[in-house]
Amino acid sequence: MDDLSGVPGAELTSRLWWIGLDSWILQDGNYTDVAVGERRQFALELGYRRAARLVVPPDHERTPRCAHTGRGTSYHVVGELVRSFPEPRGGAFVLDVGLLAYTQWMVLDDLEPPVAGTWLRGDIHLSVDPFFFMDDLHALPDMPALIYTWTVEEVQLDLTPQVLVHPGDPRHEIPAREGPVRVRDVSREAWRSVGRTRAWEEDGSYRLGCRLEALAPVSTMPGDPRAARGPLPG
């Protein structure tokens, strides 16, 4: 049963949240294309640069915070880890920054996974759950409900130019075995507002400008968990 104490407050519902969405998630059949004005349900996946791991803040900073950095879907956060896993990967870590978001990989500077109850600070990016939570993670022991309800107010296509990056470039995390790859040049970040995603025509990345609804998060959605998720009734 979902905990009604998890209903988001006005500080969270009054702001616009920028949330990443890659075309492959739509192409994989996990969701239908997203349009401005729709109500959608999804969990949040968090990510961070492994060269800029989250750190433990001093006691006086231990209040949940999630402030958009002004770049893409990046946020400066302070939050408490409410669920952990004894290995760096293979389970799920859930961070409470006001909203709950999960990641399947986390270590600190000592290369060990943090334990539940640890406070963390740093920069993360937020993305639409590719369906890892809906498929499997929701059923793990002590997993909180993570699927929030959103109203989509903006859909933007990523037009940031790509550059060729070689392994060893300190600005990027490219494994040596992968050779040179093309990545977005974040110093020239650019977005174009569009009315909806067109995953099969625009193979790239989007960000959604979403308004959080004052509804408690849930763990599952009705129906076949592998059915493509479309808009909710108005």
Side-chain angles (χ1 to χ4, degrees), residues 71-132:
R71 304 186 311 274
T73 60
S74 175
Y75 290 82
H76 184 73
V77 301
V78 177
E80 182 181 6
L81 198 65
V82 298
R83 188 187 190 281
S84 185
F85 192 71
E87 300 294 334
R89 65 174 71 243
F93 302 81
V94 179
L95 188 64
D96 181 0
V97 296
L99 289 181
L100 299 175
Y102 80 90
T103 179
Q104 293 182 279
W105 187 94
M106 182 178 284
V107 296
L108 301 185
D109 281 344
D110 61 5
L111 301 183
E112 294 294 328
V115 299
T118 302
W119 280 83
L120 299 170
R121 180 188 66 198
D123 289 346
I124 66 171
H125 58 265
L126 295 177
S127 303
V128 173
D129 167 38
F131 241 57
F132 302 136

Side-chain angles (χ1 to χ4, degrees), residues 9 14 16 33 41 43 48 51 67 75 81 91 100 104 118 137 141 156 170 172 175 177-178 189 210 224 227 230:
S14 62
L16 196 66
D33 274 312
Q41 285 184 304
Y48 63 91
Y75 290 82
L81 198 65
L100 299 175
Q104 293 182 279
T118 302
L137 300 180
Q156 294 187 345
H172 303 278
R177 65 183 180 275
E178 293 189 7
E189 181 180 331
C210 295
D224 180 357

Side-chain angles (χ1 to χ4, degrees), residues 137-149:
L137 300 180
H138 74 277
L140 293 177
D142 303 317
M143 176 61 73
L146 299 183
I147 300 173
Y148 291 97
T149 304

Side-chain angles (χ1 to χ4, degrees), residues 190-226:
W191 301 86
R192 185 181 76 219
S193 292
V194 293
R196 60 181 300 111
T197 64
R198 290 178 171 81
W200 294 99
E201 302 169 26
E202 301 166 332
D203 188 13
S205 300
Y206 297 91
R207 67 174 182 175
L208 310 178
C210 295
R211 197 76 62 177
L212 180 64
E213 297 195 9
L215 298 171
V218 297
S219 293
T220 61
M221 292 183 279
D224 180 357
R226 291 305 301 168

